[in-house]
Every structure is written in structure tokens, then in C-alpha cells.
Amino acid sequence: MSSALFPFSAVVGQDDLRLALLLNAVSPAVGGVLVRGEKGTAKSTAVRALSAVLPEVDVVPGCRFSCAPAAPDPACPDGPHEPGPGTARPARMVELPVGASEDRLVGALDIERALADGVKAFEPGLLAAAHRGILYVDEVNLLHDHLVDSLLDAAAMGSCHIEREGVSVRHAARFLLVGTMNPEEGELRPQLLDRFGLTVEVAASREPAQRVEVVRRRLAYEDDPASFAARWAGDEAAVRAGVAAARALLPKVRLGDDALLMIAAVCAGFEVDGMRADIVMARAAAALAAWAGRTAVLKEDVRQAALLALPHRRRRNPFDAPGLDEALLDRILDGFPDDEPEPDPDPEPDPQPDPGPGEDGPDGGPDGGGPDGGGVPPQGGGPEAAPEQPADPSAGPEAPEAPDAPASPSPASAPAAEQAPVRAAEPFRTRMFSVPGLGEGAAGRRSRARTAHGRTTGAQRPAGRLAKLHLAATLQAAAPHQKARGRSGRGLVVRKDDLRQATREGREGNLVLFVVDASGSMAARQRMGAVKGAVLSLLLDAYQRRDKVGLVTFRGAAAELALPPTSSVDAAAVRLEQLPTGGRTPLAAGLLKAREVLRVERLRDPSRRPLLVVVTDGRATSAGALGGDAREVAARSARLLAADGVASIVVDCEAGPVRLGLAGGLAADLGGPAVTLDGLRADALAGLVKDVRTSVATASPHTHRRAA
């Protein structure tokens, strides 16, 4: 089967996505593209196809670091390079897998040569391969933190510096960073998010005709990739020529004071942090002008640059989808005079003629809506792009203004004391709570865990098949025996018993199960708003740390699993917003429901450790179907959770001048700390318990095994 890529110009729709990619191809200084969107929206297809339309690059023959013949890197490990003609090759697209090791990313000691020849040689990593090309990270929001740190360093400095295992190397690493992600699976760290110059939200088209064309082209490509690519070869060549022409024109583009003032006014109007947004917008606007064949930056270029460069930088509330208020943008730009048309002093033919509205694409089907046959517009704000833009950035799903229950519920349908849901208070940044011990769960950002890709903490003999070789420890184990083994020559004599495996430590994501008291004692509107704000803040923290979350509520006579454990923290936020309050306080029912949920989840995913967050004032006024004294039943239920080895924290919601301290007693029974609502804040007084502590004596054998 042919390995031909799906042609870039054959991608249907997704005008903003392809425009952002092409702007970076014209001006790599724009800083890369972050593509956010649901699965199945051609994110990866478009990115992988971009490399085919990039102009070729000249490299020094034999240089593993892609030095340019005209200006080779003076510190290149393969240098110094003598002046001479270069070799042209296609621009590379290097893909960084989510599970890659740090050695694979930055490079490391050449183990084969070290063991066989006894020489110290450097083996380049993916950053070296991506120099002067594209570094593509699919599911970039799932990238391990230690890889993110290395990537940030290289992106900031334009070079990669390696100091490890006796190797000291620095080489150039300037690349076009492109990442794709599904927001449902977690968010990016702010430091990495800001490194992407542009961001694009993609979604599947709701137009039946366009969806049909997507299916038609995809099936044609899968049936015969080579033939399909050949049919689009002309359009690919036109896009490639357009990129080359725009690159040549870019140095001549004039970015006048008026354009710079517009850019500064827009960034100030949207209250973006720092100055990187201004710089990125300026570069993007110049690239837009060059792509359109102009030497002057116009107001429309500034507007389109803002739509691409600001959505992920503007200040927004947690769980709000990135976006930009286009009405505000237009109001800011309306304060500047309109552009006066200027004649082009050196007109050139458009390398990508715009087909007529009724003209078919090269494959005989409807055109994707742009001048390259696949829908790439010179400006992303044209009429072809309009259907792809959401009509209203705020039109997404929101919590309803009125409760789902009838306005006047009958006694059979709801408790008489039930109150309508109240809105959550403004969320805040919380302290970080983690599960004690060392886990082995899914990669995340909360608790310490043994991982395959974290930082190296030591070495050990492999229990089975060798996974990650610890070279220094292996050489240290083999060195004392070289004379007895009859070593001759430079190579080492290494036996199986000498091999040492690296032990690595990183962070894992946990199951954070919220148990929220929605009874009448919590029903005061201001109080419940503050409680919801605190839970929403903890949800935001769980979202950023890649946890699974679940929500149990209790009121009246029973507890309810409002949200089964899920990775969609947004769903938990919606359920929380809709939560009504009122009735008695069946605290024991809530704890026992949580215990049952955790038991089932332990069977489904035994390696994911739970963190129980109980949000209550500690009162217990109903034993429900269990009978007996409500407080005693609640205490016994809490001790059962402690015996299971569940790490817990109690958020004490008690307010007022007279406090009973019941939440503290509940926390003692659970074996965890009690924290007030004010104590949740990250800027609270020092000394707040950070790690949730459980009783080792009463922990389950399963917990002992994981924490060992």
C-alpha cells in the first residue's frame, strides 16, 4: 500500500486550521499552532499533510543537526563545517509520541558505541531531527511533565543543551511547534499553552453537503492513496509555490505605527498577560499580508491575527471554552480609521487562483471552499469561513437558569424544604492535596508514583525483562570484573548480571470522589454558593491534574450518585451547578454510597488510587434506612472507609459565631485532615496539611502493596 499522505489541499473545510498552519509555514517566527477540538475532525490529518507543502531546506551534507550551509551553527556537534554547497531535502515533520522518554527527546549517550567501543558519543534526539522543520505532538495535553519542561526550554532558547551521563552537548533546535488535543482529556499547563503562537478550535461541520464530501474524499484516499494524491498534485504544488512566494515577500511587508497601535489596543482591551501576544499578533498580521500578496498590513489582517493569537491568552473563567468576543474586537478596531487602498507596485500573478463559486474541485466533487481547491482562504474572515465560525461564543451548554424540578413540587416528588439551585461563587486556586505513598496509576499531576517516563531516582536489578537501562549503574556494576573476565581492547565485557534498570518517579492522576452535603443545614443561599465555589475550585484543580472525578450528594433520607467517575470534569461542574438543596442530613448514607462507588471503581481500575473529598458541616440528622443514632452510624461509616485505606479530606463548611466542630470529628474517623473553606485557598497560611494522611495500621493490603 502506498505511504502517500492525505493532501493538504484536499482537506474539506477547516479554513482557520489550514490558514494558521500556512501562516506558520510562511513565518515560523509566529510560534506554532495549537489545534483544539473533538476527535475525528482532521486535526492530525491536516498537520501531517503540512510537511508536503513546505519548501525544501538546504542542509550541510552529513550533518545530523540540519545546519544551513550559508550559516552553519558554530557550536554544532558535527562541526565545524567548511563553506560549500548544501543538499536540498524536504522539510521534516518529526512526531513526538506522548510516551516518549527524555533520552529520545533530547538525545543521550550512544549506548551501543559506549559498550562496544568504549567511546563517548552523542546520539541526537527528536529535537535535533526537528530543527528547521516541524515538531508535532499529538494529544499534547497528555504529554508528561518532564518532557514538557525540556520542550519549553528548547522552544524558549532555540537550542537544546544536554548535560547527562558525562555528555555535554548544545545544538540548535528551532522548529515549528504544532500540537493537537481533545479538551475533554485535560488542559495544558499555562507555560506550554503560552508557547503556542496561534490556537484554533475545530469542530465537525453540521452542513450535510460538506460532510458528504469529507466521506467521499476519505474513501477515495483509502481505496487508492497514490492515485488520490496524484489528482491533487497540482493543488499541492500551487500551495507550495504560494508559501515560497509569501516567504520571499515577507521581508518587504511594512508593519506601520497604525497597525502596531491597533495590535496594542486589542491586546490591552482583552487584558492579556505579558507582551508575547502583541509580538505574536504582529508577526501573524505580517504573515497574513504576505500570504495575501500585499506589502502593507491592513486592519483586516490585525483582526484575523487577533482571532488566532488571543483566544488561549485572554482571561476567562474556569471551564469556559477558549474564544474571543468578536463584538468587543470590532468595537476596538472601529476606533481606528479604515485602510486606504494602495496600488501594488510590483503585482504578481496569484499562485492560487480562486475558483468560481460553482466550480468543482479537482476530484470532481464540490470544492472545499478556498483558493487552493481545499478551502484555504487568503484571509480567514472571508465569506467562505463564515459557516465554520460559531454564531455566538457563549452559545455553548450552560447551567439552566431554573431548576429541572416543577415550580411547585408535590410532597411525593420532592421534599417540601427543597430550595432552587444557587450559583457557585467565584472559583479560586486551591492548595494541592495528594494521596500518600508511591502509586502506580495512570500518568497525571497529583500524587507521587512509579512511572516509566518520570525522572530517574535510582537503579535496581530488573525483575524480569529489562525495560529502561541505567547505563551508569550498569557500567559501575561491570567495571570491577573486567580484569577477571579477560577484557582486551576498548570495549567492556558486560554480562546479564551487570544490567541495571532505571527506577523512575513521576506523578499520577487519582480518582477524586466528591461527597457533597446538600441538606437543609447547608441550604442558606450565600453559604451554599460559597460551598459550590469551593467544590468548583477543587474540580478545576482536578481538571488540571488529569484526575477522574465523581460526585455523590446526600440530603433528605438518601444519597445519590450524581455523576459516576469520569474524566469529563466539565460534566461534574454542570451537575454541581444544578444541585438543589434542602431536607435532613443523611451523612452515613453519603459515606456508604461513596464506599460502594470506590469498591466498584477499584475493581475496574485497581491502579488508580482514590482521594475522598467530603464537603459538609459535619452534622448528621438522619440515619436513613440504617436506623439508630445518626451520629454514631455516620462515625461507623467513616471508620469503614478508613479501614479500606481510602485517603480522605473533610472540607469544613460550618459558619457562624458558634461552631460545634463536628467536621473535625468526622475527619478523625476518616483518618484525614479537616480544612476550612478559607484554608482551601493556595494563599492560605503556611502549615496547612498538604498530604492526606491515612492510618497505615488500618490500611487495606491492596494499599500496603501500592505504598510500599
Side-chain angles (χ1 to χ4, degrees):
M1 180 177 176
S2 172
S3 59
L5 292 172
F6 191 92
F8 184 82
S9 53
V11 175
V12 178
Q14 307 298 8
D15 298 331
D16 286 345
L17 167 58
R18 287 177 290 113
L19 178 62
L21 292 173
L22 287 172
L23 292 181
N24 276 271
V26 171
S27 176
V30 168
V33 185
L34 174 64
V35 187
R36 300 166 51 98
E38 58 197 21
K39 54 186 177 295
T41 50
K43 301 188 299 292
S44 300
T45 298
V47 173
R48 292 190 174 99
L50 177 65
S51 60
V53 298
L54 294 180
E56 293 185 333
V57 295
D58 290 331
V59 298
V60 173
C63 178
R64 297 174 297 168
F65 301 88
S66 303
C67 282
D73 181 7
C76 177
D78 286 354
H81 298 300
E82 297 295 332
T87 302
R89 64 160 174 79
R92 289 176 180 162
M93 195 208 71
V94 178
E95 188 163 352
L96 173 60
V98 170
S101 66
E102 189 176 6
D103 292 348
R104 187 71 187 97
L105 177 64
V106 303
L109 185 67
D110 190 328
I111 296 177
E112 183 177 352
R113 294 190 63 187
L115 294 178
D117 304 328
V119 299
K120 184 170 64 176
F122 177 68
E123 183 178 3
L126 296 177
L127 291 179
H131 179 49
R132 303 178 66 200
I134 304 171
L135 182 63
Y136 171 46
V137 188
D138 193 15
E139 305 293 350
V140 64
N141 52 325
L142 304 182
L143 198 64
H144 294 286
D145 282 349
H146 68 288
L147 297 182
V148 171
D149 294 337
S150 300
L151 196 58
L152 286 172
D153 289 341
M157 298 186 299
S159 63
C160 181
H161 195 182
I162 301 98
E163 291 284 354
R164 55 191 307 169
E165 298 168 345
V167 175
S168 179
V169 173
R170 191 210 68 83
H171 64 81
R174 289 181 292 274
F175 45 81
L176 171 59
L177 181 62
V178 181
T180 57
M181 61 175 284
N182 185 344
E184 294 179 355
E185 297 174 344
E187 193 53 83
L188 279 175
R189 282 171 54 179
Q191 298 94 326
L192 182 57
L193 185 65
D194 193 49
R195 287 295 173 187
F196 287 98
L198 310 179
T199 186
V200 178
E201 288 282 330
V202 297
S205 172
R206 298 297 183 258
E207 293 294 330
Q210 196 171 66
R211 296 176 72 96
V212 167
E213 185 61 21
V214 170
V215 175
R216 180 184 292 118
R217 293 188 188 183
R218 187 68 199 184
L219 293 179
Y221 168 75
E222 292 177 352
D223 288 343
D224 191 347
S227 176
F228 184 83
R231 294 207 306 272
W232 289 86
D235 294 81
E236 294 288 275
V239 176
R240 193 178 302 110
V243 172
R247 280 186 176 183
L249 184 62
L250 185 62
K252 304 176 184 177
V253 173
R254 300 187 306 275
L255 189 63
D257 289 343
D258 290 343
L260 289 174
L261 283 172
M262 282 190 281
I263 291 170
V266 169
C267 292
F270 282 98
E271 299 182 342
V272 297
D273 296 325
M275 294 298 298
R276 183 172 282 119
D278 303 65
I279 297 171
V280 170
M281 274 189 64
R283 290 170 174 166
L288 279 161
W291 177 246
R294 288 184 273 100
T295 57
V297 173
L298 305 180
K299 183 188 292 188
E300 61 188 271
D301 299 324
V302 174
R303 185 182 192 279
Q304 183 62 54
L307 292 175
L308 295 173
L310 297 187
H312 60 304
R313 292 186 170 93
R314 71 173 179 87
R315 294 182 180 178
R316 55 192 175 93
N317 293 325
F319 305 112
D320 284 352
L324 212 61
D325 185 347
E326 295 192 37
L328 174 59
L329 176 61
D330 289 335
R331 286 197 300 271
I332 296 173
L333 293 178
D334 285 344
F336 293 86
D338 293 334
D339 303 303
E340 295 183 3
E342 298 182 6
D344 192 339
D346 186 19
E348 295 182 3
D350 188 352
Q352 302 176 68
D354 191 358
E359 187 174 340
D360 287 344
D363 66 343
D367 191 83
D372 64 346
V376 182
Q379 297 292 329
E384 289 291 338
E388 296 297 320
Q389 300 291 338
D392 182 0
S394 63
E398 296 182 353
E401 296 181 358
D404 294 333
S408 301
S410 64
S413 61
E418 178 177 306
Q419 298 185 12
V422 298
R423 298 193 65 85
E426 190 70 20
F428 50 85
R429 190 165 62 92
T430 66
R431 300 294 295 261
M432 199 275 281
F433 298 95
S434 60
V435 178
L438 198 61
E440 298 177 352
R445 295 172 181 164
R446 182 172 297 277
S447 305
R448 294 174 55 228
R450 295 188 185 94
T451 61
H453 307 290
R455 63 184 179 88
T456 300
T457 58
Q460 63 182 12
R461 291 178 182 269
R465 184 170 177 266
L466 180 67
K468 298 287 184 181
L469 177 70
H470 193 295
L471 180 61
T474 299
L475 297 180
Q476 188 176 8
H481 309 292
Q482 295 305 298
K483 185 176 180 180
R485 294 173 183 175
R487 172 189 173 187
S488 61
R490 302 183 67 180
L492 294 176
V493 181
V494 180
R495 295 179 179 174
K496 185 176 181 180
D497 290 344
D498 301 326
L499 298 178
R500 296 294 184 269
Q501 179 171 295
T503 57
R504 300 175 185 267
E505 182 178 313
R507 293 281 171 177
E508 67 176 0
N510 298 110
L511 167 60
V512 182
L513 182 62
F514 293 91
V515 181
V516 179
D517 185 348
S519 64
S521 64
M522 301 280 288
R525 299 186 68 85
Q526 290 184 346
R527 184 178 180 189
M528 197 60 196
V531 169
K532 285 188 175 182
V535 178
L536 190 64
S537 303
L538 291 167
L539 280 172
L540 177 61
D541 182 68
Y543 181 63
Q544 294 171 337
R545 300 187 188 281
R546 300 175 185 166
D547 296 315
K548 290 180 68 174
V549 297
L551 179 62
V552 172
T553 64
F554 58 93
R555 66 188 181 94
E560 174 190 4
L561 179 59
L563 182 71
T566 176
S567 297
S568 178
V569 182
D570 297 278
V574 172
R575 298 291 176 90
L576 177 70
E577 195 70 26
Q578 298 173 343
L579 178 65
T581 56
R584 296 172 67 82
T585 312
L587 177 57
L591 297 175
L592 292 177
K593 171 63 75 172
R595 186 181 184 223
E596 176 62 19
V597 171
L598 294 178
R599 183 190 68 81
V600 173
E601 286 300 309
R602 191 177 297 117
L603 296 175
R604 292 176 177 171
D605 189 358
S607 64
R608 187 180 289 270
R609 299 187 295 165
L611 175 62
L612 185 68
V613 180
V614 183
V615 184
T616 181
D617 56 10
R619 289 182 171 86
T621 60
S622 171
L626 299 174
D629 181 74
R631 291 187 183 181
E632 180 57 32
V633 173
R636 289 203 306 267
S637 301
R639 289 192 288 269
L640 285 175
L641 283 163
D644 291 340
V646 177
S648 306
I649 174 175
V650 176
V651 179
D652 184 359
C653 303
E654 193 172 27
V658 179
R659 304 197 179 195
L660 303 178
L662 299 176
L666 174 63
D669 289 328
L670 286 169
V675 181
T676 63
L677 290 176
D678 290 338
L680 280 177
R681 296 181 178 272
D683 55 357
L685 295 176
L688 179 65
V689 177
K690 183 176 180 180
D691 288 340
V692 181
R693 306 195 179 278
T694 56
S695 175
V696 177
T698 59
S700 66
H702 179 73
T703 304
H704 279 303
R705 177 175 60 82
R706 289 201 312 266

